[in-house]
Amino acid sequence: MILQMTLSSPFLLSSCSSAHRLNPLLFSKRRHCHFKFSRFPFHLLAKPRFFTVAAAATENVVFTSPENAKSFDFSSEERIYNWWESQGFFKPTFDRGGDPFVVSMPPPNVTGSLHMGHAMFVALEDIMVRYNRMKGRPTLWLPGTDHAGIATQLVVEKMLASEGIKRTDLSRDEFTKRVWEWKEKYGGTITNQIKRLGASCDWTRERFTLDEQLSQAVIEAFIKLHEKGLIYQGSYLVNWSPNLQTAVSDLEVEYSEEPGTLYHIKYRVAGQSDFLTVATTRPETLFGDVAIAVNPKDDRYSKFIGKMAIVPMTYGRHVPIIADRHVDKDFGTGVLKISPGHDHNDYYLARKLGLPILNVMNKDGTLNEVAGLYCGLDRFEARKKLWSELEETGLAVRKEPHTSRVPRSQRGGEIIEPLVSKQWFVTMESLAEKALLAVEKGELTIMPERFEKIYNHWLSNIKDWCISRQLWWGHRIPVWYIVGKNCEEDYIVARNADEALEKAREKYGKNVEIYQDPDVLDTWFSSALWPFSTLGWPDVAAEDFKKFYPTTMLETGHDILFFWVARMVMMGIEFTGTVPFSYVYLHGLIRDSQGRKMSKTLGNVIDPLDTIKEFGTDALRFTISLGTAGQDLNLSTERLTANKSFTNKLWNAGKFVLQNLPSQTDESAWEAIKNCKFDKEESVLGLPLPECWVVSELHVLIDMVTASYDKFFFGDVGREIYDFFWSDFADWYIEASKARLYQSEANSASSEAQAVLLYVFENVLKLLHPFMPFVTEALWQALPDRKEALIVSPWPQTSLPRFPNSIKKFENLQALTRAIRNARAEYSVEPAKRISASIVASEEVIQYISKEKEVLALLSRLDLQNIHFTDSPPGDVNQSVHLVASEGLEAYLPLADMVDLSAEVERLSKRLSKMQVEYDGLVARLSSQKFVEKAPEDVVRGVREKAAEAEEKINLTKNRLAFLKSSVLVSK
């Protein structure tokens, strides 16, 4: 296989057979080699020089160069990533000292597939990690995946169903074996997709929540909490999924506004002929009614308070009529049925008032024996039958359409049923107090700050946490029961079955039999231990725990602030004595271009992998990282396209820099470049104005960007770098540098320009690398004399010299250039045409502007031989365009240089006539009373706006025409 290469970094090759010793970053598939060489001073080469080597491994190609590729090749991103990982760059090193920077990745579900939420957290966390790695801190980004109890069990159950197998056809061990097989086959999908985004995690430390060490941590946490009396078992109201047959957390319940029905039902007042009409969306739960409630201030019903009501279809069961101020007088009829076994609000009211709790439903969503003749019916079938029979008995008043907030399972989609069930709970109040204190004392900083209030509110009103789930996949609850004993009173908590049996024998004798609780722990329980269990806890002597705990940062979406973040804080303080991280950075959601939440129903989901194929990873990362912390971000194709153009702009700038560096065989030229220093005031001040300006602006940028990185103001970072690179460097300095670089002979000015181009560009690459790692690394490797990879290169030095006066002087030059460019555009001067100019300013201004005469001529397309500098206006001002660039800086451009005066007068006269006709037509429409009165208001307003705009253009054209005519007369 033939390979062509640019030799721009040092390497050795003694024979064709040792081609594998070549630095693979230097190769491009578009290059070829033809002869052998042994030792050559390649470190002296920068301009592309072609040597030929027979190589058998083009698959080793990693980087392409702007010198031989029109644009950055997105397909090289995976090769670059693999090279980084193979070189060990993602592992923490303590070479440069400093406090470790440690981030725990929010573990995505093992069933997951990459979505924009993942892209957001990966981009932001990788920005933090890459920045701190370049700052020299030992940096560790801990990756891993979550076993996702419900989601994974559902996936495997569906897979089994396709084989004609039900979960219950298998034993628990057989089923979990199938789940592990599935995990080994498909569980790495999300990990590989996260790598595709450029995540520089230490994958040698990758964790899975069911790993042995993490499982031991979960058991240890349960035992410690139980020993402190913080874990208990009891029957309470939970979110129940009838299809999944398990309790689910609040986070796994999604509420949606759905059309339904409001049923009005008569409840007879016992011993009277009066009826109270109750409005409910769930009539089937009336079998669980334990009271009827009205507002004590509702005069319609105050006379019934303290009496009894008869629940329909229950053979005369009586319930009290009570008063409660929380009853909404304006909802429905103002009469509320209290069914504490099936409504969260009713449940808490019943517990407060000491009312009984009736459960009318089985765990599969059918009604139980409490419902009498309706026993065994599905809850929705029972609703239809009950209403029909209420109509027959005259107790049905009416039903009407009603939109209600329906709770649905995030995983299964079915309607969640509030249900009383025996579960395991954690007492949260004492844990929450410590977590609140951590923020109050400044031990934990939440960003943005406004989320502190939400955090404090949730923890101040926290409820006990239901941690048990009725699943087979997950961490089995470490509780064993005694055969023949009461489960709620006689149980053993232990680390394993052997320990449980030993404890049981000590307490109940040698012949005791035990069996383990069938439930598993809530997935969020193991996730709450993530920041410290992944570092080795409960072994506090573990090397990683000692080095890296507590961690520095947790970055995640604001939607799981309560469910995950707050619980990690509580568990971290409880088990390690300190907060598990110092900072919490919360990002918002990514929405579509219209601000809508992405959903399959709306068809507006943007796939990150498809986006990467079209726009590149760097453009995607840059786009989604420009938002404000905690705020949602609207993602559009236009933004992605613009940032793909930014990638191309970087690439083309790199091409320009490389093409304008001297050949490295030119030792004297490179010596001159190396002698240019930019860290001393006298060196920077001694540069020509454009060079002094751009270096000063770069040094200001480095300080601003570094400060913004340190404050986690990533949107500001991206915008500041973008503006500097695109406007200052690419649009102004690169163009200005051509005045030095394109001279026929090399001189000190061209060497200074080359040095500045290289210095500014390599620092821009450093500043931008955390955002756009792939293209910046490729460009870095294309530059000459690279001694290390960009990913591990030192961060630019701050507090370097800058000169505001030089910045102001160049800004004056820019203002003059813009004024001349605008005048050229206004008079439609051909781009290639060079024009004369008289620059009028004070002696001081003329002194520095005239020094940059070549730059001004190049940027403004002026005739270099006909630029005149003076402190007073020229004699032909009446035949010139007068420009005021800034205070004390003016220019006069001879009209005759820019246009054919007679032809321009003729052209503008025709244009004015046409404009007048259009304007007269608009005025005529507005003069029509019929049009003004009958046309829609917005149409009339639009015509008025067009007329005003046309009038303004006519006046401008008349003024310009008058000026040109006077100039024609003067010239004659």
Side-chain angles (χ1 to χ4, degrees), residues 145 207 214 249 253 288 490 545 581 704 748 754 791 808 899:
T145 49
R207 300 289 186 262
L214 271 68
S249 74
V253 179
D490 298 286
F545 188 85
F581 28 74
M704 287 196 305
S748 61
Q754 289 169 329
I791 187 176
K808 177 61 180 174
V899 294

Side-chain angles (χ1 to χ4, degrees), residues 946-959:
K946 286 181 180 178
E949 184 180 346
E951 184 179 20
E952 183 180 357
K953 288 181 178 178
I954 286 172
N955 291 332
L956 289 171
T957 305
K958 284 180 177 179
N959 292 337

Side-chain angles (χ1 to χ4, degrees), residues 1-7 26-35 37 49-55 58 68:
M1 190 175 291
I2 300 299
L3 194 74
Q4 187 182 44
M5 61 189 177
T6 295
L7 305 177
L26 304 172
F27 292 122
S28 167
K29 293 180 182 177
R30 298 174 59 187
R31 298 189 169 184
H32 60 274
C33 299
H34 295 300
F35 63 84
F37 47 91
R49 296 293 181 265
F50 299 107
F51 296 85
T52 56
V53 174
T58 55
N68 56 29

Side-chain angles (χ1 to χ4, degrees), residues 18 84 102 111 147 239 297 304 518 521 566 584 755 793 800 884 911 916:
S18 60
W84 281 330
V102 186
T111 58
H147 65 277
N239 299 313
K297 295 183 179 181
F304 299 117
L521 287 163
V584 174
S793 65
L800 291 168
V884 179
R911 181 182 173 190
Q916 189 67 50

Side-chain angles (χ1 to χ4, degrees), residues 406-673:
V406 178
R408 290 189 175 272
S409 168
Q410 185 187 61
R411 302 299 177 190
E414 79 277 14
I415 294 178
I416 290 296
E417 186 66 44
L419 195 70
V420 174
S421 174
K422 188 172 78 169
Q423 303 287 343
W424 288 94
F425 295 86
V426 177
T427 302
M428 302 301 290
E429 188 175 351
S430 61
L431 299 174
E433 287 174 358
K434 297 174 184 176
L436 284 165
L437 193 60
V439 171
E440 184 182 325
K441 293 169 64 178
E443 296 170 356
L444 175 65
T445 301
I446 297 175
M447 298 172 291
E449 188 178 354
R450 69 178 185 275
F451 283 101
E452 280 189 16
K453 292 182 180 178
I454 302 173
Y455 173 91
N456 291 338
H457 177 78
W458 188 75
L459 286 175
S460 299
N461 297 275
I462 199 166
K463 302 171 185 175
D464 287 356
W465 176 13
C466 174
I467 58 170
S468 49
R469 298 290 182 266
Q470 290 64 55
L471 302 170
W472 282 0
W473 173 248
H475 295 102
R476 191 88 172 262
I477 289 180
V479 169
W480 281 260
Y481 301 110
I482 314 302
V483 174
K485 298 287 185 180
N486 186 312
C487 292
E488 292 189 19
E489 296 179 4
D490 298 286
Y491 61 83
I492 301 293
V493 177
R495 290 170 179 79
N496 51 57
D498 290 340
E499 182 181 306
L501 183 58
E502 183 179 345
K503 287 184 175 182
R505 285 175 174 171
E506 289 177 1
K507 188 173 182 179
Y508 299 103
K510 290 186 178 181
N511 296 325
V512 70
E513 291 184 43
I514 62 173
Y515 61 96
Q516 191 171 358
D517 192 306
D519 292 352
V520 299
L521 287 163
D522 178 12
T523 301
W524 292 100
F525 188 87
S526 56
S527 298
L529 313 178
W530 184 255
F532 45 95
S533 63
T534 50
L535 292 171
W537 186 88
D539 181 8
V540 294
E543 185 176 354
D544 275 3
F545 188 85
K546 290 190 294 183
K547 282 183 179 179
F548 300 115
Y549 190 81
T551 65
T552 313
M553 167 65 63
L554 177 80
E555 190 284 331
T556 189
H558 62 63
D559 53 332
I560 56 174
L561 173 62
F562 321 126
F563 302 103
W564 189 43
V565 178
R567 286 171 178 167
M568 281 191 288
V569 175
M570 289 186 279
M571 294 300 182
I573 295 172
E574 177 65 24
F575 295 125
T576 70
T578 185
V579 288
F581 28 74
S582 303
Y583 299 94
V584 174
Y585 182 98
L586 301 169
H587 66 251
L589 300 175
I590 296 184
R591 299 181 178 273
D592 72 5
S593 58
Q594 300 177 44
R596 301 174 302 176
K597 190 173 181 179
M598 292 186 189
S599 71
K600 293 180 180 178
T601 304
L602 291 174
N604 63 344
V605 174
I606 301 175
D607 187 304
L609 297 178
D610 291 341
T611 304
I612 286 171
K613 289 177 186 176
E614 184 175 356
F615 300 98
T617 304
D618 291 319
L620 173 61
R621 286 171 57 121
F622 192 77
T623 302
I624 62 180
S625 302
L626 289 184
T628 304
Q631 300 280 22
D632 293 350
L633 176 77
N634 294 353
L635 183 63
S636 66
T637 302
E638 290 75 19
R639 285 189 178 189
L640 290 164
T641 301
N643 290 323
K644 181 181 179 182
S645 298
F646 184 38
T647 306
N648 291 334
K649 190 81 169 179
L650 282 166
W651 194 255
N652 289 332
K655 183 177 297 186
F656 179 86
V657 172
L658 287 167
Q659 289 175 343
N660 287 283
L661 291 176
S663 166
Q664 286 210 10
T665 58
D666 189 344
E667 295 186 28
S668 61
W670 276 101
E671 189 65 27
I673 289 174

Side-chain angles (χ1 to χ4, degrees), residues 107-295:
N109 288 350
V110 72
T111 58
S113 183
L114 196 70
H115 56 66
M116 279 298 174
H118 296 123
M120 174 72 95
F121 88 69
V122 170
L124 291 173
E125 290 180 26
D126 200 41
I127 286 171
M128 299 177 193
V129 166
R130 287 177 184 269
Y131 167 67
N132 281 280
R133 184 184 290 123
M134 294 175 76
K135 289 279 282 185
R137 297 178 67 177
T139 303
L140 174 61
W141 188 7
L142 271 167
T145 49
D146 194 293
H147 65 277
I150 293 176
T152 307
Q153 183 159 316
L154 268 177
V155 168
V156 176
E157 284 190 24
K158 288 179 181 177
M159 180 188 73
L160 291 173
S162 68
E163 302 172 14
I165 303 172
K166 294 181 180 179
R167 172 173 61 91
T168 51
D169 294 338
L170 304 176
S171 69
R172 184 174 190 139
D173 288 344
E174 289 171 336
F175 177 76
T176 53
K177 180 182 178 183
R178 293 295 299 268
V179 180
W180 276 109
E181 290 171 356
W182 179 93
K183 189 265 180 188
E184 293 305 314
K185 187 174 182 180
Y186 300 106
T189 299
I190 187 66
T191 296
N192 292 328
Q193 291 173 337
I194 285 175
K195 288 182 177 182
R196 190 67 187 82
L197 287 165
S200 57
C201 309
D202 183 356
W203 295 104
T204 64
R205 287 177 163 89
E206 183 179 5
R207 300 289 186 262
F208 178 53
T209 47
L210 285 179
D211 286 348
E212 183 178 353
Q213 189 267 314
L214 271 68
S215 296
Q216 290 175 355
V218 168
I219 292 171
E220 195 65 30
F222 185 98
I223 291 172
K224 287 181 179 296
L225 290 173
H226 186 268
E227 287 174 347
K228 295 186 74 170
L230 296 176
I231 284 183
Y232 64 93
Q233 187 182 40
S235 295
Y236 299 93
L237 195 72
V238 297
N239 299 313
W240 186 262
S241 171
N243 289 0
L244 299 174
Q245 293 279 291
T246 181
V248 294
S249 74
D250 290 342
L251 185 65
E252 291 156 340
V253 179
E254 294 181 339
Y255 290 88
S256 59
E257 297 291 325
E258 298 182 17
T261 304
L262 191 62
Y263 300 88
H264 293 255
I265 304 170
K266 289 181 179 179
Y267 282 61
R268 183 187 294 275
V269 179
Q272 297 183 17
S273 59
D274 295 308
F275 287 89
L276 292 177
T277 299
V278 171
T280 178
T281 57
R282 304 183 63 207
E284 71 279 5
T285 62
L286 64 77
F287 299 107
D289 289 355
V290 298
I292 298 296
V294 297
N295 192 295

